[in-house]
Structure formats: C-alpha cells, structure tokens
Amino acid sequence: MSASDRSRPESALAVFERPRSLALLIARKDKADRLAAAIRASFGLDLPPPGRWVTGAQVDATWIQPGGWLLEGEPSAPGAFRALVAAAAEGLGAAVDQSSGRSVIRLAGAPARAVLATFCRLDLHPRAFGPGSAAMTRVAHVVCGVRLADATPSFDLIVASTYARWLIEELLEASARHGVRFEPALKPYRSAMPASGPM
Amino acid sequence: MSGYRLPHGGFIDRSRRLAFRFDGKLLEGHPGDTLASALIANGVKLVGRSFKYHRPRGILTAGAEEPNALVELGEEGRAEPNSKATEVELFDGLVARSQNRWPSLAFDLMAINGLAGKMISAGFYYKTFMWPAAFWEKLYEPLIRRAAGLGRATYATDPDTYEAVNDHCDVLVVGSGPAGLAAARAAGGAGARVILCERDSLLGGALLLAPAVEGWRQEMIAALETMPDVTVLKRANVFGYYDHNCLGAIEKLSDGAPGAGEPRQRYRVIRAKQVVLAPGATERLIAFPGNDRPGVMMAGAALVYLRRFGVAAGRSAVVFTNNDSAYATARGLKDAGLERVTVIDARPTGPQAPGLAVRLASEVAGFDGRRVEVRRRGGGANAETIEADLLCVSGGWNPNVDLASQSGARTAWSAELASPIPGAPVQAERSAGAARGLSGIGAAARDGLTAGREAARLAGFAGAADFPLPEDEPPALAVEPLWEVRGRGKSFVDLQHDVTADDIRLAHREGFSHIEHAKRYTTHNMATDQGKIGGLVGAAILAEARGETPDAVGLPTFRPYTAPVAFGAFAGRATGDRFEPIRRTALHDWHIRHETVMQRAGAWMRPFYYPRAGEDAWTAILREARMVRSGVGLCDVSTLGKIDVQGPDAAAFLDRLYANAMTTLSVGRARYGLMLREDGIVFDDGTVSRLGLEHFVMTTTTGEAAAVLEHMDFHAQTVWPELDLTFCSVTDEWAQISVAGPRSRDTLMKIVAGLDLSNAAFPFMAVGEGMIGAIPARIFRISFSGELAYEVAAPSCFAEQIWEAILEAGRAFAIAPYGLEAMGVLRIEKGHPAGHELGGFTTAADLGLGRIVKKAGDFVGRILAERPAMADPRRPRLSGIRPADKAHRLRGGAHLVTEPTSSESLGHVTSVTRSVELEQWIGLALIEEAESWRGKRLWAVSPLHDERVEVIVTSPRFVDPENARVRV
Amino acid sequence: MQLIPCPFCGARPEDEFHYRGDASVQRPLPDAGEQAFYDYVYTRSNPRGWHSEWWSHYAGCGQWLKVERNTMTHEVRGAAGPPATLPRTLA
Amino acid sequence: MNDHYSGWRLFAEGLRGNSGWKPAWRKPEPKPRYDVVIVGGGGHGLATAHYLASQHGIANVAVVEKGPIGLGNGGRNTTIVRSNYMLPSNTRFYEKSLQLWEGLEQDLNYNVMMSQRGVLNIFHNDGERDLAIRRGNSMRLQGVDAVLVDRDGVRSMLPMAAMDNPMFPILGALLQPRGGTARHDAVIWGFARAADRRGVDILEHCEVTGVRRDGGRVVGVETTRGFIGAGKVGVAVAGNTSRLAAMAGLTLPVETHLLQAFVSEAIKPYIDCVATFGAGHFYISQSDKGGLVFGGNLDGYNSYSQRGNLPLVEHLMGAAVAMMPSLSRLRVLRQWAGVMDMTMDGSPFICKTPVSGLYFNGGWCYGGFKATPASGWCFAHTIAMDEPHPLNADLTIDRFREGRLIDERGAGPSPWAQ
Ligand SMILES: Cc1cc2nc3c(=O)[nH]c(=O)nc-3n(C[C@H](O)[C@H](O)[C@H](O)COP(=O)(O)OP(=O)(O)OC[C@H]3O[C@@H](n4cnc5c(N)ncnc54)[C@H](O)[C@@H]3O)c2cc1C
Ligand SMILES: NC(=O)c1ccc[n+]([C@@H]2O[C@H](COP(=O)([O-])OP(=O)(O)OC[C@H]3O[C@@H](n4cnc5c(N)ncnc54)[C@H](O)[C@@H]3O)[C@@H](O)[C@H]2O)c1
Ligand SMILES: Cc1cc2nc3c(=O)[nH]c(=O)nc-3n(C[C@H](O)[C@H](O)[C@H](O)COP(=O)(O)O)c2cc1C
Ligand SMILES: [Zn+2]
C-alpha cells in the first residue's frame, strides 16, 4: 500500500453504471474469420483478439470467448442495437441482446486498482494490464468482465445485471475508506422510451 | 525484581509513556515496546502457566516462537486468547491477562498436576478412564477439557473488520534481515516488481542487534523506498507456501488503535514468479532439569531485549551455550552493567572473551529460578552453584526451513549446524542467509544479493546496479551439538505442552518411535509454537533412544501456518450476510417496496408471499393460490434459467440433450423438456420454445441453470464439436412474469398488441411476440399452476413497467402477485415434480414421465437409465397422498408404512401443502410399487414428531387430472 | 492456489474453473452398448501422477479445457482448448 | 494379559519411573506366508485384523503398511462418529459401527476417548429441513436415535451460533445424541495393540508393489520387504484403492480427492457438541486438547498430494465466521489434508472381487472414520466366510453396473461435487 492510497481525499473514487446497448456476438462454427470481416465492413472495427477490447466510432467490442465478443453502443430503442449487429452478422453468427442482461459499471479514481485487488485475482499492474486490456474473471465472487478504460485508472466491470447491485455494494464497501462517490445508474433505453407509454 | 529498563538504547521512544494493565495491575512502557519487553522492564517474571502441569512460566523468547508468554488480550468482542506477549506491540490502554491458571497466576491449584507428573506422563489418558464407560462423558472428559485448552474464547462478536488482497510480483522476498534487504534491493534494482514481507514492526532482522551496521540498514531501507515497484510490508507474516508459487501473508494494520475505517488485518494472497526465502534462523533450546523455570530465556532473545528495547532481562546472568552466538549476549549483558555474567560453554574451547567469566566443557544441570547448578561435562566432581535470576540458553540455530519445506522441497541435513537446511527447490524459490545456514551479516547480505539477482533474472529482469555490503565477520567456532543434560527433574522439549525428554523416551519404549508417532503420542510440536525451539531437540533425543542420528529421525511434516492466523482475516469481507453473492431480479425493488416476504433461494432473493395487513403466512399463501385458481395472479419467475440456442444444428443438439423429442417441435410452439444425467437420473426440467427454424429459447430450473449451461457447453464443445450451433445465457436479459388463472387471457388481451391471444389463434403451448406499450415482449402459453396461464418475458430493464401494466390490466379481476409458496401449493396440487422430487435420485419413470422418453436415438442418459435396477418397476414412484381424516396435517420427510407401528418404510413424503382445491393437506410421495397402493391406505409417520397419520394414496394430480383447464 | 494455463485467457487461478475429472474417457457412440457407457461414466484409472482432466473456465472464456496435471505434485504441463475451438483462429 | 492398561497400572508404573511399559505393538519380521494379508495399516485394516483374530479365530494375519501405521486418513480426520444416514443400506451399517464404538474401549482395553457429545446438523431453509426430517425419520424407523431440535434448542446447544443471519437463518437442527467424536490416533493404536496381542503381525514400512495371482486366484503380495504369501488378501488403503486395484488388474469407480482439515489454537471449552452447518458446508467440534477441529468441502480435483489450496480455505473461513461470529479473533494453528477414496455415489464397498481370495474395502469418501469398527468387523466376516455379512451385502462394486446406487446426496457420478 503506497502512501497515496492511505490519504483519503473526499471522493478519491467514483462508481457509476454506464447505460449501454449490448449484444453478444457469437461466431458460428468455422465462421469466425468471415464474421470478423463482415464486422469490419459494417462497423470499421477489427474484432479484438483474446484479452483485448477496442473502441470504434459506432460500436466497441470486447473479447469474451473464442469466437465471441460483446458489442456495445450508445443506448437506443429496444432491440435496435441487436438488430444492427445481427444484420451485419447474418449467416455468420448469432447476435443476442444483452442490453438488459449485463451491466457496465465504472470504477474510476487513483485507488481503483487497490480496491479491485481486494476481490479480483487478476494482476492489474499497468505492466500486466495496460491500455486495451480486457479479461473475463471473477470479481467479488461473481463472473465479471474487467476492462481498463483509461489511465486514471478507470475500469469497466461488466456483470450479469442481476448481480449488479451486489457488485456495487461490494465496490462501495471496499472503497469506503478511500472516499467514494456513487451515482445511481440510469437504465439503458429509459431515455429512449416514448414519453406517453401505455401505462 | 529481576528485569529492568536500561538508561539508554533500543528502538523505543522514551519521550512517551504508554499505560497498560497486566492482570489488573497498571504498568508503563514506551512506544516501540512489545508487551513482553514492557513486562520485563517492569520486572514481571511470571506470565503464564503451562498446559498440563500448570508450571509457572516466564518469557522465553522475543518472537513468534514464544511457547510460554501467552496472554488474553482485550475485552468483550475484542477478547483474544493465546496472544504471544512477545509479538504484541504495546499501545496505550492495552489490557492483558494471564491464562490457564486458577484461581490466580501466582497460586494455581492445578499445579497439583505437577506432583502427579509421573502418572500423567505421555499418553496416560489412553490407558485409563475406561471404566465405567458412561463416566467418560460425565466425569473424566469434562475434567480433562477444563484443565486443557489455554485461554478463554468469548462468544461476543468481533467489532473489527478484515480485508483480503490479491498481490502479484516478480519477486517475493520473505524476511528483511541483511539477506532479505539485499535480495529485495538487488531484484528491485534490476527492475522487477518486488514485495518484501517482514513479520516484525521494524525492518532489519539481525541488523537491529548490530549497532555497527545501523547505517547500512538505514541506507538499504532508504534505497528501497525510492523504488516505485518495490512494496515493503511490515508486520506482515508469510504464513504458508501453496501450489504454483502462491503464498499467503497476514499484514497487521490496526491492532493497537482500531478505527478510522482501517481493517484490523489484511490477508494477502501473493502470487510470485520467484521467491527468495530469507526468514533467518531460530535458536533452539537445550533440555535440562528446570529449563522451563521463569528466568530461563533464549540467549538471542536476551540480546533482542537489550538492543531492541533497552531492557535487561535480569540482574545476574548465566549464559549456557554450545556455540559462539551467545557470547554476544553475555557481552551485552556485561556491558549493560549486570552484577555477574558467567558463560557456561559446553565445548572444550570457546572464542576469545576478554572480561567474561567462562567455564568451558561445562553444562547446566539444573535451575530452580534462582540457582544454576553447573558441572563439568563428562562427570567429575567440582559441581558449582551460581546464583542467577537470568539463565540464557543457546543450543545452536536452526535455519527456518518451514516455508521452503511447505513449498515441497525436502530438507537436507547440515552436520555443521546439526540442523535441517532447505533442500533442492521444487517450486520457483531459493533460500538465502541464515535461512540456509549462513552465519554473519556480511555473508547473509552477500547471499541475499545473489539470490535477489538470480530471482529477478529468472523472472525476466537481468542486470542490476551494485550496492555496498557490510564487511564479513571473522568465522565462528563450530557448534557442538548438545541436546540434553540429564539430571533429576523435568527437562522439557516442548514447554507449552509440557513434553519432557523422558516422555520422548517413554514413547520410544512403547513403540512410538517414528517421529510422527512420537509427535502424536506425546503432543510434542503440536502446541501453538509448533515446535519451533524444541522440535529438533525432541527429535534428537528420540534419535538417541533409537540409536540413530537426528537426520535419520527427521522432523514432522511442516504445514501452514508459520504463525497462527485469525479466522476473521481469512474471511475478510466475505462473511456474515455477505458470505455469498446475492442475486436480485429486476423486480426486486418492487417486491421490497410492497413489503413482500423475501427469502434466499440459492443465490437469488425471491418473493415468498405478499402478506396483507393482518395476514399470517398461510393465510396469505392460500389467498394467493385461491386467486390463481379462481381469478388471476402474477408471479415473478425471472429466476428461471433461460438459454438462447441458435444455428442449423440447434434442434439436433437439443434432441440429444433432452430425453424427449425436440426436432419435432414446430415454430411458434413450446414443449416440456426433461433432461437426464448420463447415469440416467433426472437432471433438470423446463420448457423449450421454438422461435424460428434455427432459433430456440429454453428454460431451466432456477437452481440448475448454471449447471445446465455448463453441461451444454461440455457436450457442444467436446462431445459433438461437429454440430453447428451457438448458445448463451439470457437469464438476466429477460424478466419473466407468470400470469395465471382463468382470467389471465382477459388480463393480457387488454395490453398485448400485435398478437392474437384467442384460444384458437394462440392455443396451449403457443409462443409468440407482441408489444406491451412500446415494449417488445415474448408470450408463452405455458402453465405450472394447471390453470389457463401465460408467461410474459420482456427485457429486464422494463420489468417494472410490464409488471405494473399487468397489474393495472388485471385490476378488474382483482389481480395480485403470488409468491413462491403459492406457486408451490399450485404445483403440488398438479403433481408437477420439483425440489425434492428432482433431488438427484429419481428416474423419468419414477416421476411418471417414462412415457415421454424417446425409445430410440442418442440422448444423454438413455443407455444407463436401462440398467436393471434403474428400470425396476418396483422403484418408488411419484404418488399423491392425502390424510384419510381431513383434519390431519402432513409433513415433508414423513415415511410411509403399512401399519402405524410398522418400521418398514415404503417411501417418503417429498412435498406437502394445504390444498386450496381440496381444502385439506395433500402431499407428493415416492412410494414403492405405487400403482398397487393407489386408492389404498397407508400411514405417514414422523417418529421425530411422534405423529402417525392415515393417508389415502392417490394420483399425484389432485387437480384437473385431464389437464383441461390449461386448454380453455 | 493452482494456476490453469488457459490457452485463451492466460494462466488463471483454480477458482475460475469448474472441474469435471478424467478427460481420457470419451463418450461412446450411441450403439456402443451398456458396458461402454458404464466405463465412460464410472470407471476411472485414477492415476497418481499425470492425469488428463477437464476444467471448465466458467468465469473466463467458458471453454472446457483438457488439462494435463500431476495428481501428486499439482504441476500442470499444459492445457488445450476443446476440439470445437480448434479450427477457429482469428486473423 | 500382563500388559493390561488401567488406572492402577498407571499408578504403579508412575512409582517406578514408567519403566515397565511395553511396546503397544511389536515390530516383527515378515513371515513367508500368512493365512490372510491385510493391505493398509489404517483403522480399517487394523480393525479387520483385530476382528479376524477375535471373531473368527484367524490370527495368522499380517497387516502390511507402506509407512508407519495410522498416518493415512485415520490419522488426519476430523473424528466425527455418527450413524445419521438416510438410506437403509448405510444406516444399518453405520449403526452397527456406532454400537461397536460404544463398547470399543472395553473390547480393546484402550481409551479411544469415544465421546458421545451429540452431532447437530443445522438447517437453514424448509428444503433442508424436510431432508433432515426424512433422514431423521428413516433413522428412527430403524431404531437409531434422532431428535429434531428447534431454534431454542440450537441456541442453547450453540450459544455462539448466528441464529438470525438474514441470508442463512438457523431454523433448527437434527440431533443424533449418541453421535460424537473419538480420538483418531487412539483408535489406530488401540486396534493395533489389540490385534498384536492376539498374534497379528503388523509390518510397517512394507509397501505393497504388486498382487501376485495364480490364474484367477490371489497367492500373495509383492512388497518392499519381499514377497509375502497369503491365502487371502484384503485391501483397505483408502485413497490408494485405485492403485492397489490396478496391481490386481481391476479398475474401479473411484477417484482420489483432497479433503482439508484445520485445528485452532487450544482454548478452554467453547463448543460442546459436533455442529455441521448446511450453509457453507462447515463443521466443527472441539478436541479434548482444546483445539477447534473443523473442515468443509473437498478441494474438488483429483489429488494424492495431501496438501490443499487457499480458495477452499477462504470460503470455509467465511462460512465459519458467518455461522459463528465469535470465531473471528481466534486463530487457526494448522491445516492439512487427506486423500479420499471417493466413489461415484458417495457410499463405500466391502466386497469380493473377480479375483478369488482378493477382497476390497474402500470408497469411504470423507466418512470412513466412524465406520472403522464395523468396516473391520464386516470385512473380517467377508474374508473369513468368503461371503458378505448381511450388513455389507449392499456395499458392492457391482451396484454401479446394476444401477443400485446408494447415493445419499443425489450428487451422481461426480465425486468432485460430493
Ligand atoms: C480431513 C479429513 C476429515 C475426515 N473427517 C471424517 C470424519 O469426521 N468422520 C469420519 O467418519 N470420517 C472422516 N474422514 C474419513 C476417514 O478418515 C477415512 O474414511 C478413514 O480413516 C479411512 O480409513 P482407512 O483405514 O480405510 O484408510 P487410511 O487410514 O488412509 O489407511 C490406509 C493405509 O493404507 C496404506 N497404504 C496405501 N497404499 C499402500 C500400499 N501400496 N502398501 C501398503 N500400505 C498402503 C496407507 O499408508 C494408509 O496407512 C475424514 C478424512 C479426512 C482426510
Ligand atoms: N546469532 C546467531 O548465530 C544468529 C542467528 C540467526 C541469525 N543470525 C545472523 O542474522 C543474519 C542473517 O540474516 P538473515 O537476513 O538471513 O536473517 P535475519 O534473522 O536477520 O532476518 C530474518 C527476518 O525474517 C523475518 N521473518 C521470519 N519469518 C518470516 C515470515 N514467515 N514472514 C515474514 N517475515 C519473516 C524475521 O522477523 C526477521 O526479521 C546473519 O548475520 C546471521 O549470522 C545470527
Ligand atoms: C483431530 C485432530 C486434532 C489435531 N490437533 C492438533 C493440534 O492440536 N496441534 C497440532 O499441531 N496439530 C494437530 N493436528 C494435526 C496434526 O498435527 C497433523 O497435521 C495431521 O494429523 C495430519 O498429518 P500431517 O500434517 O503430518 O500430514 C490435529 C489433527 C487431528 C486429526
Ligand atoms: Zn479461459
């Protein structure tokens, strides 16, 4: 623990949920290469290799499993993002909506590494987990994707939405002595909902 | 008064005073003191009583190897037994109590045990207390238990917190003596990420005892501080060496002044590419009569009290040694101004010792706390008695091989040291300095540098700057092994457990001659110090009895922990109600706002029932169930596992996964699915819906969702890799709401657009998509309750909106939510297997589902389900039961017998409920030869409750056996 | 704590994995008969020493890895991805 | 009987400096041939020898042990003794064992410190409760003691238990009052001494390296101390069962797995009974020496290493402190592990094999300490009579082939998950 971690500025850390449109893209058997080409053609994005994530103009992509990526875009109308990805992947892979299924939680601030180290076994040292790094692992006992978002450092934690509250509680508890600010999440789509709903 | 504070010296802050209490007495010390050094400075000599004989004991060591000075610390939730006074850092207000004595430390009645010593030698309890048998629990054992144990534990809850951390480094260095400091600097200088763990509160190890090299110590520490990738952890004991170069450490943070949000301790899991073990050496004792008396102290410890704490441990001292190291203690005590210091050296020649009184070729044959009996070795007259209140002992030094040994390396034997040393490494580690038998600060530092450099190089960091090292000291004379001085009285080899040299010999005579047998028979090495100072001595005495050398006898297995670890530290934050993760559906907040009774089911929090004002549990549950049977209700079933399956071979895959056919399922339809394990036992059930030709969504039970997905992964990836399909969990994406009851269609018709829900257009088991407002939803006409019912699935971020919309639409039909309990009532009435019917014991046929199982084709579980005993028609089968007398209740877990007094169980009751349809208790049961019992009477007995209920065996379908209601 | 060298994710601690035992047994063809299935499900050579075994990287890439591990020393010699992933390479 | 143990003897020996005690068992040289050779000097092997000699008059017996006796699982288990099983095949066998335990000290003239302190199985939800009731009723119908304990009862037996943890509230418990603990090492030594006194040769440092057959019949064992001829060979080697089977050309439905155990620093009486918690799979008792002896689940991978890893430790300690918060400040002193012979249904076998004269005793999983007397008793019967006793008639290896599984937990053929 370095001296800087010990000092407790008012809010050394911020925790908030990032509203995103999410779709899991899974290549069909033996079609990963063609799928990558199709995605490149549609979104100008190279699907990243294991352990990496990339940002693009329209979509970001995070490696999840062999032949599987999480694609990500701005919040949009229900199903729209999935449809966009599905169209690009037509015949080459499945696009499955996860906009409600996974939550993207941002942990940002100087002590972020120290906080994550309390319940994540990944080596997050900049030498081992630099820009563009992404990993699926366990955080606070639940399956979780971890990405380095920027050098603040900021990390994105991608977790099953039914565990999001658990993870946030754990993050807040682990961060408490550093000082932490929590911004309640906006759920994806909410803003995109028609003002006069059926209810 | 014996010990006292010297006018100067030591790493203590004399400008400040700390007040503390020991056994109620108010005493003072300084910052930098340990409880032990402060007690010695205050002249406190008697600090504890031993385990078996309750002998008075003093402070023997200055570290983690302390067997005697164990005290109870703190109060209430912070009470902590068995704390080593030698490791407790003093703080203002510290409260400590001696332990294992009654009524008081000075006058302990249990000391009577000492008189009976010969009768309660090693293993005595195995030979007596056998008659009469019942007296063991009633009389003997309580006595033994009360006498044994050490400190008292509290039942109060610990108010402090703990934290776990995962660390990674290129090089882990254990110990910060000259070897450790040099290793850390060498590795850090090469650019490696280094973690240095030091158990002590100060860095330096042996350097803290060598004022001549204090400058070097400080320079090394300063150099490490400038290296950003070197982390130095003080008060951090490395407790264990596990697989794949993973080590555990406990860092003490705030024992003195808890608060400020700082955890009390931090448990560190350290993953190192390379490890340098530099934990130094531990001084061993010599067995002689009275070697446990207050006033006996290890020679190295006496030097620590002088140099570290500016404390002299006595007024007049005898130093008994077989090696050169204790001369430094003698010299130090002399220089500190003790009245008299005499060295008793067992060797015929000793080092130059100007000004010291030395008796060569002599030994200590007894000590009573005030007088030391000295005699020439090898017999002869001229025995001598020397008055001394401090008897320092050094039997030589044992390299600390425990971590190396835990890593899997066998120990080797050093004849020179008469001690084990680390053998060839198995994992990526090496020992350095005193830990591998080197002596001298210069030698240790040089060794550390080499080890640090080598470790860094192997971790990928070559080339490092040089730094100055301390001078080598002149070589020492060899140690002459001396394990025991025989004489009248008890000579201890394990002070805490009161194991004597005679006990070791007795063990040998009785055949417990293997070191592991001797350990277990005498309990030697099994105390809280794990034999750190006397382990080898006992082994050597055993060796002598066996007529062998100590290396042939060996030491017992080294195991974690090098120092005991608090339960709380391991638990970290993951305990209490946060011991396992909690999973919440998207409707969780709604349930909470509506004062739902929630319960944990697996990881999930689930609504059990929704009580209204004044309702008890059953009233609410039965109201909810009745509502579904007569009107409409809605239920959060989002916890069901949901898996999206796509691809040209999706249908073929599902066909092999499920015991019933899936290829024949048409688009827009759902089907019940039953999965077997490969051994033919039912694994899981759920529904499969075909959304498109190559697109399915299946559900699993809540409990098995993860297991089913992994089962699918296994088969898709490794068994049938030729199949072209993809699948993934969509459990979290979709909130799912069951809308059940005769008015469910009326309810949904009001809000679902884009889908004709009429019975003709959307019959039982139909699947379709519609819109609820602007929200796309999937509608499944499936029923768990046996009523007309639908399940509505929508992206979970809209869960509350959909839920509210359904509530609003059903208002005219008095819709309300129902919980898991009401769902249980409904499914038991329908005879749907769940929970204990699917507990991993039943076949499809047992559950009455034999008819849906495919007779041909490949699917998981087909072949082994055909084994004779699995296909035996007499196996217990699912049946219904109800009490013959409507007033009687049923119990889950009751057994079925033919007569109320019979003890031949024909089966057992798996699930029970009060039925809303039958207005009485009903149950599901697994009954042998169930068909033959249909309509007949049996007894459901629960001897545990002293209950016998006559029951009628029925079909498991209590309600609507033709399943007509779901089709209307 | 053992590290399983996942060919996709790198070396990861054992608690990211679920275990499934002997990988030397293979599911028989459907018509291989009861004895073959019995052996597949129940019979284990259970060696002391090198053992080929299945580990699912459930908290990582979700792949079933075939791991060569020594049951006496816990040394790991290698881990391969499942057959289904073999032909899939990314440019 | 000049070496009888008693309080008087202890007193007399004390007066003469304990010089008259004899070795608890001899260290004989192997004879070329024995009527029966038992492989494995754990509790089961030694008990088998004792009962062969005492019940069947077969004393020309050797127990061959690769190291010193009793350092296998018999010397490293958490010492819980109980017969609270659900399935009749198990219940009646373990109940026989408990009955033998109740008279063991007199039978062996050795204090094995059998302490019937009660075994309390705590449940946290309705499902666990119903299973406990089913099991308790099954026991009661078979004449075994079982009591359902309510929350107040649990509270008074376990004043340190967290009754109202919101995630894992304690609803009650199933108590077997006659269950308890025994001193693991004493059981080994007591059986060894008793067998030795009836003439059984205990051959330590004698590792079996091969099983010699003559056609379909076993004729002896190759050992590191030479060939030893045998009319019959009984194998009771727990975690090494598969290796011995391989020597005899057999492959068994067994996997070898790790189970860790822990002991705390010794403290004054803290917990009086044996407690097991459904949540977190944590169980604990206190030894007569004062250490809290506790454990949990398997590490979950095949291993012969006798050393476990930290993930299990972390989980277990989390459970321990959740269930008994006052443990937090106490300290664990030592951890170790044993290698378990896990079967594909979690139940053992004591049976004949396709090789005539060769018998197997194994599959004890993490529960064979309590079985020690009955295992020896039934195995001795099976060997002496060349057929099983009714008590172990169901405990065959063939049951897997026939689908006649004895699966208490419904875990199926996944030993790592049991
Ligand atoms: C941590 C732990 C906790 C447990 N807790 C309990 C509990 O609370 N209650 C309970 O009932 N059970 C418990 N058990 C299980 C119980 O300890 C065992 O089932 C039981 O001790 C098995 O006895 P055994 O005699 O068959 O095996 P062991 O005691 O293991 O004896 C087998 C012997 O065979 C020897 N051997 C192996 N190979 C050879 C060879 N080739 N040649 C010669 N000899 C050989 C071994 O060296 C060993 O001494 C626990 C086990 C462990 C590890
Ligand atoms: N008088 C003697 O004969 C004697 C005895 C021992 C050491 N020494 C001298 O000490 C020097 C040896 O230096 P060294 O660096 O090898 O040893 P050292 O004794 O100086 O340092 C070892 C350090 O490791 C720490 N340590 C031990 N176990 C630990 C653990 N599990 N976790 C964390 N920290 C732990 C100790 O607290 C100590 O500070 C030599 O000069 C040697 O001669 C002398
Ligand atoms: C019931 C029981 C109680 C134990 N109590 C202690 C103890 O008080 N002190 C100790 O050091 N070890 C104790 N042990 C552990 C043994 O020292 C030893 O670790 C264990 O028997 C396994 O042997 P091994 O470590 O030599 O492999 C105990 C073991 C058991 C089974
Ligand atoms: Zn992976």
Side-chain angles (χ1 to χ4, degrees), chain D residues 40 42-44 65-66 73-74 77-78 80 208 238 364 366-370:
Chain D
H44 292 211
E65 163 55 52
K66 71 175 156 82
N73 292 342
N77 67 85
T78 44
I80 302 170
V208 171
W364 296 102
Y366 32 70
F369 177 67
K370 68 178 88 68

Side-chain angles (χ1 to χ4, degrees), chain B residues 37 97 271 382 397 450 604 640 739 747 802 931 938:
Chain B
S37 69
R97 292 171 299 277
R271 177 79 60 181
N382 47 10
W397 291 81
T450 313
W604 291 100
L640 291 176
V739 184
T747 302
I802 299 274
E931 292 306 320
L938 287 173

Side-chain angles (χ1 to χ4, degrees), chain B residues 51 77-83 100 118-119 121 124-131 133 136-137 141 145-158 160 162 241-243 255 264 267 269 406-407 427 497 506 509-512 514 516-517 519-521 523 526-528 530 557 559-561 564-568 570-571 574-577 579-580 582 600 605 677 679 821 836 839-841 867-870 892-895 902-903 905 908 941-945, chain D residues 5-7 10-11 14-15 17-19 21-25 27 68-69 71 76 86 105-106 109-111 113-117 126-127 130-131 133-134 136-138 140-141 146-148 159-160 165-168 174 183 185-186 189 204-205 262 265-270 280 286-290 294 306-310 313-315 317-322 325-337 400-404 407-413:
Chain B
F51 192 81
R78 291 203 169 90
E80 191 184 332
N82 302 342
S83 301
N100 203 32
K118 289 281 180 203
M119 280 97 218
S121 55
F124 76 97
Y125 27 73
Y126 300 128
K127 297 170 181 161
T128 183
F129 301 134
M130 288 174 267
W131 302 269
W136 175 247
E137 285 89 350
E141 192 179 38
R145 285 186 171 237
R146 224 169 300 142
L150 292 162
R152 283 167 302 151
T154 170
Y155 288 154
T157 300
D158 184 352
D160 292 332
Y162 301 81
Y241 202 135
Y242 298 83
D243 283 335
D255 242 341
R264 174 176 176 243
Y267 155 56
V269 182
Q406 284 180 36
S407 79
Q427 301 203 35
H497 271 174
L506 174 61
R509 276 204 301 288
E510 295 196 63
F512 299 93
H514 190 276
E516 298 286 3
H517 282 161
K519 162 185 154 174
R520 287 157 173 78
Y521 193 60
T523 75
M526 296 179 79
T528 60
Q530 295 279 289
T557 307
R559 294 271 186 193
Y561 310 96
V565 178
F567 282 76
F570 270 129
T575 187
D577 57 355
F579 148 59
E580 274 175 359
I582 302 165
R600 191 187 153 93
M605 293 304 297
R677 305 190 305 219
D679 68 349
E821 293 285 2
H836 291 313
F841 314 93
R867 283 175 292 169
M870 303 271 288
H895 284 249
S902 163
S903 59
S905 172
H908 70 279
V941 295
S942 183
L944 286 176
H945 300 94
Chain D
Y5 288 164
S6 69
L10 206 58
F11 182 70
L15 292 182
N18 287 306
S19 58
W21 297 114
K22 299 218 174 59
W25 64 94
K27 315 267 178 196
I69 59 167
L71 297 183
R76 59 185 66 244
M86 182 169 79
E105 277 138 12
Q106 287 67 26
N109 178 231
Y110 207 92
N111 185 358
M113 303 191 188
M114 171 64 189
S115 173
Q116 296 182 293
R117 336 183 52 76
D126 293 354
D130 284 3
L131 267 181
I133 293 176
R134 175 184 169 196
N137 281 330
S138 180
R140 288 283 288 270
L141 287 175
V147 181
L148 204 58
M160 77 300 285
N165 181 322
M167 292 299 125
F168 308 97
L174 184 66
R183 185 76 193 170
D185 291 329
W189 303 333
E204 294 173 282
H205 305 286
F262 305 79
E265 294 181 344
I267 49 174
K268 294 291 176 198
Y270 174 81
Q286 186 165 17
S287 81
D288 282 339
K289 226 160 66 48
F294 62 101
Q306 289 192 343
R307 46 182 268 144
N309 275 298
L310 285 170
V313 181
E314 294 169 7
H315 183 82
M317 300 290 178
V321 179
S326 57
L327 288 174
S328 176
R329 263 182 135 83
L330 299 179
R331 284 177 291 252
V332 224
L333 173 62
R334 189 172 168 99
Q335 68 173 84
W336 64 94
F400 298 98
R401 203 176 298 272
E402 294 157 5
R404 211 177 299 285
D407 190 345
E408 291 268 334
R409 299 161 141 238

Side-chain angles (χ1 to χ4, degrees), chain B residues 81-263:
Chain B
N82 302 342
S83 301
K84 292 168 182 139
T86 51
E87 289 198 307
V88 174
E89 290 178 50
L90 201 66
F91 60 88
D92 205 38
L94 180 145
V95 176
R97 292 171 299 277
S98 60
Q99 51 186 41
N100 203 32
R101 40 67 177 168
W102 187 82
S104 76
L105 184 56
F107 179 73
D108 181 346
L109 282 177
M110 287 288 200
I112 195 85
N113 282 355
L115 302 177
K118 289 281 180 203
M119 280 97 218
I120 59 174
S121 55
F124 76 97
Y125 27 73
Y126 300 128
K127 297 170 181 161
T128 183
F129 301 134
M130 288 174 267
W131 302 269
F135 272 41
W136 175 247
E137 285 89 350
K138 291 210 181 70
L139 180 65
Y140 305 132
E141 192 179 38
L143 280 174
I144 289 186
R145 285 186 171 237
R146 224 169 300 142
L150 292 162
R152 283 167 302 151
T154 170
Y155 288 154
T157 300
D158 184 352
D160 292 332
T161 60
Y162 301 81
E163 182 175 273
V165 173
N166 296 286
D167 285 320
H168 302 263
C169 61
D170 298 310
V171 178
L172 169 68
V173 179
V174 182
S176 72
L181 286 177
R185 186 165 172 187
R193 286 163 65 195
V194 175
I195 295 175
L196 171 66
C197 284
E198 168 55 55
R199 159 196 291 170
D200 204 336
S201 59
L202 291 179
L203 301 177
L207 297 170
L208 297 167
L209 311 180
V213 286
E214 176 60 12
W216 187 73
R217 184 182 79 96
Q218 292 186 5
E219 195 241 304
M220 291 295 283
I221 295 171
L224 291 176
E225 273 170 6
T226 64
M227 300 182 175
D229 277 322
V230 174
T231 307
V232 177
L233 302 171
K234 287 186 273 195
R235 300 179 177 88
N237 179 62
V238 175
F239 63 72
Y241 202 135
Y242 298 83
D243 283 335
H244 299 191
N245 255 29
C246 178
L247 294 90
I250 297 294
E251 184 187 10
K252 292 185 188 165
L253 296 171
S254 62
D255 242 341
E262 187 90 325

